[in-house]
């Protein structure tokens, strides 16, 4: 059985680098019906204001395995979460929660007081993750996801 990531030393975080693009694109494609393209991810990587953190586990040979990532912007006192995904095979081990907590901590260390995000109304796993962290619904953006005409739920957490 794989270790839960709350085992000591089981998970590390680091900033994404250009050589991580292939793996991040794979995880992105496994996570979304409308995944971010490789170009968009590469552009995001080049934005000084964007933060892309990877969750890493080491295998028996101490090689890095990327388990998931979170993309966030720090705008004034707000951490805005743009994207988060965990590789399919690493889900329900606490990776998503750990990435969110790391994003909050990183923002807080630089003066953030709140975290915000938008999520599809139908995305139960993500909404449950955010609720479990204390996020509350503060609004709805009707038809925000235009391909399906789906609403976005706007959520906020004081960090
Ligand atoms: C949402 C997502 C990032 C969660 O990642 P994860 O690493 O599996 O989440 P965790 O293991 O940290 O789960 C933390 C909590 O979230 C909730 N949760 C996660 N997956 C869930 C699911 N499938 N159903 C219900 N609740 C779920 C639970 O409360 C869980 O705690 P528990 O396992 O103790 O019950 C992952 O499902 C994913 O990558 N989805 C596709 C991409 C996506 O939709 N991203 C969100 C965009 S807004």
């Amino acid at each position: 059985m794989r270790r839960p990531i709350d085992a000591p030393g089981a998970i590390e975080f680091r900033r994404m680098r250009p050589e991580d693009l292939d793996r991040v694109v794979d995880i992105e494609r496994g996570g979304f019906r409308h995944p971010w393209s490789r170009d968009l991810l590469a552009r995001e990587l080049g934005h000084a204001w964007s933060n892309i953190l990877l969750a890493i586990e080491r295998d028996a040979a101490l090689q890095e395995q990327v388990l998931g990532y979170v993309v966030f912007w720090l705008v004034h006192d707000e951490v805005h979460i743009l994207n988060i995904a965990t590789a399919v095979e690493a889900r329900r081990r606490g990776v998503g929660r750990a990435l969110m907590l790391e994003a909050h901590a990183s923002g807080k260390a630089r003066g953030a007081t709140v975290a915000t995000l938008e999520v599809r109304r139908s995305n139960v796993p993500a909404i449950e993750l955010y609720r479990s962290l204390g996020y509350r619904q503060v609004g709805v953006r009707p038809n925000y996801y235009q391909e399906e005409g789906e609403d976005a739920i706007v959520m906020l957490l004081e960090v």
Side-chain angles (χ1 to χ4, degrees):
M1 200 175 123
R2 307 296 303 272
R3 285 176 303 179
I5 61 84
D6 55 359
I11 195 167
E12 300 163 31
F13 302 94
R14 70 162 169 79
R15 296 182 85 91
M16 183 183 166
R17 301 189 285 252
E19 58 267 33
D20 300 311
L21 257 175
D22 286 348
R23 173 64 174 154
V24 170
V25 167
D26 275 356
I27 297 175
E28 178 73 15
R29 289 190 180 144
F32 295 97
R33 208 176 327 151
H34 303 287
W36 283 16
S37 68
R38 187 186 179 86
D39 277 359
L40 193 127
L41 280 160
R43 276 204 304 279
E44 196 65 29
L45 200 50
H47 289 153
W49 59 86
S50 189
N51 301 267
I52 311 182
L53 288 182
L54 305 182
I56 306 275
E57 187 175 52
R58 291 190 187 272
D59 64 17
L62 298 181
Q63 291 300 305
E64 284 189 347
Q65 307 297 324
V66 177
L67 304 179
Y69 55 88
V70 62
V71 183
F72 64 97
W73 292 356
L74 183 60
V75 185
H76 304 294
D77 64 344
E78 180 182 330
V79 173
H80 186 66
I81 308 284
L82 284 100
N83 198 357
I84 178 168
T86 299
V88 175
E89 68 278 9
R91 292 205 184 147
R92 280 328 263 278
R93 293 178 52 210
V95 174
R97 177 179 285 132
L99 279 164
M100 291 294 291
L101 291 174
E102 193 67 16
H104 298 160
S106 166
K108 206 172 163 180
R110 289 179 281 160
T113 57
V114 292
T116 62
L117 55 84
E118 283 107 15
V119 57
R120 284 178 186 266
R121 194 187 277 286
S122 64
N123 194 344
V124 173
I127 292 172
E128 287 303 313
L129 166 63
Y130 305 144
R131 284 211 180 110
S132 78
L133 289 163
Y135 279 81
R136 63 181 193 280
Q137 180 175 332
V138 292
V140 174
R141 298 196 204 286
N143 296 315
Y144 185 75
Y145 303 100
Q146 291 173 359
E147 304 90 343
E148 289 89 9
E150 184 170 358
D151 299 346
I153 307 296
V154 184
M155 302 185 88
L156 178 142
L157 172 75
E158 276 94 21
V159 297

